[in-house]
Amino acid sequence: MILDCAIIGGGPAGLTAGLYTTRGGLENVTMFEKGMPGGQITNSSEIENYPGVTGEISGMDLMMPWPEQCQKFGLKHDMVEVTRITKEGNLFTIHKNDDTTTQAYSVIIGTGSRPRRVGFAGEDELFGRGVSTCATCDGFFYKGKEVAVIGGGDTALEEALHLAKICSKVYLIHRRDAFRSAPNTIKRIKNTKNIELVLNSVPDEVYGDAMGVTGLRIKNNNGEFRDIKVPGVFTFVGNDVNNQTLIQEDGSFLCDVNKSGEVIVDISMNTSVPGLFATGDMRIAAPKQVVSAAGDGAVAGLQVISYVDELLN
Ligand code: FAD
Ligand code: NAP
C-alpha cells in the first residue's frame, strides 16, 4: 500500500500534522516515531507558555493526550527509526532501521533537534554517570546534593530552577554575564536563594571515580580556575537539528538546507522538493516552541491534503 502521507517524527509538529491530515480526510497516514510520541518537551519539568493550559503542568502531562486524539481520526503509529527518505518520480520511499521500506505520495518531516555537547574534558566519558542533559530524568538522583548547570539560555535557566527545588544548591555556570532567556525567568533565577551564578566562566574538566562524577573544574575569563565539588553536571547549551534522514547516499541533502542544516521552507512549510514539508524545530527561523511546532504541523497537514488531492485526481 502507498501511504497518502508519511509523517516522520512524533513531537508536537508531527502529531499535529497527523491530526490535521487524518481529520482532513486522508485515509492512509502513518507517523514514524522511533520512541514514545511527545517529542523533546516530555523532558521538561514544567511548561507555562502553551496557550490555554494554566497551572503547573509537565511536558509529559501536556503531550499525553495528543497521540490518542490523532488515533481517534485514524493516524497509525509505526515505532521505528527512519534512516533515509528518498524520492523517485512522484513517490517517496521511507527507509527504516528494520530494513523495510514504505512508499508515500507525500512526507511531513518533524524530527526536531537534539542536545549539543559542550566539549570539555571528561564530558563524553562521564556522560550518564553524572553528566546529563535532562534534569527531569536525572535531577532526583541529586536530591539534597549540590549540582552544576552549564548554559545561559531558556533551557538552562528553567532547568536550574527545577533543580533548585530538589537539590541543596545549583551553580549556574555561563560563559557571558548576560543570559539569553525570558526576562521573567531571569528574575526568578536571581530571586532563588540556592542558585549561585558563576558568570564569565566555562567548564574546563569534569572528573570522577568509578562511581561517577566527583567534581567540575571551571575557568573564568581571567584564566583563573575553580573546583566545584558536585556529583552532577547538567549541560544545556542548545540543540542541533535532526536532519540525518534527508541525507542521500551521495552525501547531498534531499532538499535545500541552510549552513546550520536547518531545512529551508516557505510560509506553507514547502521544502524545495514538491510533496516534502518540514515542520517544527528543524526548519529555518523556527521559534522553537511547542505552539509554533504544532502550528507548523497544522499548516503542513492542510497543504498535504491539497497536494495529494491534486496529485491523484
Ligand atoms: P521534537 O519535539 O524534537 O520531536 C521530534 C520527534 O522526532 C522526537 O519524538 C524524536 O524521537 C523523533 N525522531 C527524530 N528522528 C527520528 C527518526 N529518524 N525516526 C523516527 N523518529 C525520529 N517550548 C515551549 O514552547 N515551552 C517550553 O517551556 C519549552 N521548554 C523546553 C524545555 C526543554 C528541556 C527542552 C529541551 C525544550 C523546551 N521547549 C519548550 C522547546 C520545545 O520542546 C520544542 O520547540 C518542540 O518540542 C519542537 O517540536 P518538534 O515536533 O519540532 O520536535
Ligand atoms: P540557546 O537559546 O541556543 O542557548 C544556549 C546557551 O548555551 C547560550 O546561553 C549559549 O551562550 C550557551 N552555550 C552554547 N554553546 C556553549 C559552549 N560551548 N560553552 C558554554 N556555553 C555555551 O538554547 P536553549 O536554551 O536550549 O533554547 C533553545 C530554543 O528553545 C530557544 O529558542 C529557546 O527560546 C527555546 N526554549 C524556550 C523555552 C520557553 O519558551 N519557556 C524553554 C526552553 C527552550 P551564549 O548566550 O553566550 O550564546
Side-chain angles (χ1 to χ4, degrees), residues 8-15 32-50 78 80-83 110-114 133 136 154-155 158-159 236 239 242 244-245 279-282 287-294:
I8 321 297
L15 284 163
F32 298 88
E33 164 57 62
K34 63 182 174 182
M36 290 302 289
Q40 50 178 301
I41 192 64
T42 56
N43 289 328
S44 175
S45 48
E46 191 185 339
I47 171 161
E48 58 177 17
N49 57 2
Y50 194 79
D78 189 353
V80 71
E81 182 170 345
V82 172
T83 50
T111 43
S113 54
R114 63 185 181 282
T133 54
T136 315
D154 277 315
T155 305
E158 289 185 6
E159 297 313 300
F236 305 106
N239 294 287
N242 294 325
Q244 301 89 327
T245 60
T279 56
D281 277 16
M282 70 173 323
K288 298 203 168 75
Q289 296 289 293
V290 175
V291 68
S292 52

Side-chain angles (χ1 to χ4, degrees), residues 199-268:
L199 302 176
N200 299 312
S201 301
V202 290
D204 182 61
E205 181 183 3
V206 63
Y207 47 84
D209 56 24
M211 299 300 286
V213 168
T214 54
L216 178 71
R217 185 165 306 124
I218 52 176
K219 188 181 175 186
N220 70 17
N221 288 357
N222 299 325
E224 295 156 347
F225 290 91
R226 174 181 172 189
D227 278 81
I228 299 175
K229 296 293 178 189
V230 287
V233 176
F234 290 84
T235 63
F236 305 106
V237 295
N239 294 287
D240 290 317
V241 293
N242 294 325
N243 59 17
Q244 301 89 327
T245 60
L246 296 169
I247 300 172
Q248 306 296 286
E249 225 162 356
D250 65 359
S252 66
F253 281 92
L254 174 61
C255 60
D256 292 347
V257 299
N258 69 8
K259 265 194 261 168
S260 312
E262 296 160 340
V263 180
I264 297 172
V265 291
D266 65 14
I267 58 165
S268 299

Side-chain angles (χ1 to χ4, degrees), residues 4-249:
D4 290 328
C5 182
I7 296 171
I8 321 297
L15 284 163
T16 310
L19 177 65
Y20 274 72
T21 45
T22 52
R23 191 169 176 275
L26 293 187
E27 282 179 3
N28 298 314
V29 184
T30 297
M31 179 181 79
F32 298 88
E33 164 57 62
K34 63 182 174 182
M36 290 302 289
Q40 50 178 301
I41 192 64
T42 56
N43 289 328
S44 175
S45 48
E46 191 185 339
I47 171 161
E48 58 177 17
N49 57 2
Y50 194 79
V53 180
T54 53
E56 275 194 23
I57 183 167
S58 69
M60 185 68 90
D61 286 343
L62 176 79
M63 297 311 296
M64 197 83 83
W66 294 37
E68 195 189 325
Q69 186 184 14
C70 299
Q71 280 151 18
K72 202 174 90 184
F73 294 105
L75 180 71
K76 290 170 203 78
H77 173 198
D78 189 353
M79 199 190 262
V80 71
E81 182 170 345
V82 172
T83 50
R84 181 170 291 153
I85 306 163
T86 55
K87 188 178 186 193
E88 236 176 275
N90 283 333
L91 275 188
F92 290 92
T93 302
I94 312 304
H95 305 257
K96 296 169 280 181
N97 73 346
D98 59 4
D99 288 334
T100 63
T101 57
T102 302
Q103 290 194 307
Y105 294 116
S106 66
V107 173
I108 298 175
I109 180 165
T111 43
S113 54
R114 63 185 181 282
R116 202 175 281 153
R117 294 287 165 98
V118 186
F120 52 88
E123 184 183 18
D124 288 341
E125 293 77 2
L126 287 163
F127 195 85
R129 293 197 298 128
V131 178
S132 169
T133 54
C134 181
T136 315
C137 323
D138 299 330
F140 203 73
F141 297 133
Y142 307 101
K143 190 171 164 54
K145 298 178 181 164
E146 298 193 350
V147 294
V149 166
I150 320 292
D154 277 315
T155 305
L157 268 59
E158 289 185 6
E159 297 313 300
L161 287 167
H162 169 68
L163 287 165
K165 290 185 199 152
I166 306 167
C167 305
S168 58
K169 180 167 181 175
V170 176
Y171 296 91
L172 178 56
I173 299 154
H174 180 36
R175 64 184 175 184
R176 294 188 294 132
D177 61 1
F179 293 113
R180 188 188 293 283
S181 181
N184 186 42
T185 311
I186 299 173
K187 203 166 135 196
R188 283 171 67 197
I189 286 281
K190 289 184 175 163
N191 288 338
T192 304
K193 290 204 172 58
N194 63 338
I195 295 181
E196 180 182 326
L197 301 185
V198 185
L199 302 176
N200 299 312
S201 301
V202 290
D204 182 61
E205 181 183 3
V206 63
Y207 47 84
D209 56 24
M211 299 300 286
V213 168
T214 54
L216 178 71
R217 185 165 306 124
I218 52 176
K219 188 181 175 186
N220 70 17
N221 288 357
N222 299 325
E224 295 156 347
F225 290 91
R226 174 181 172 189
D227 278 81
I228 299 175
K229 296 293 178 189
V230 287
V233 176
F234 290 84
T235 63
F236 305 106
V237 295
N239 294 287
D240 290 317
V241 293
N242 294 325
N243 59 17
Q244 301 89 327
T245 60
L246 296 169
I247 300 172
Q248 306 296 286
E249 225 162 356

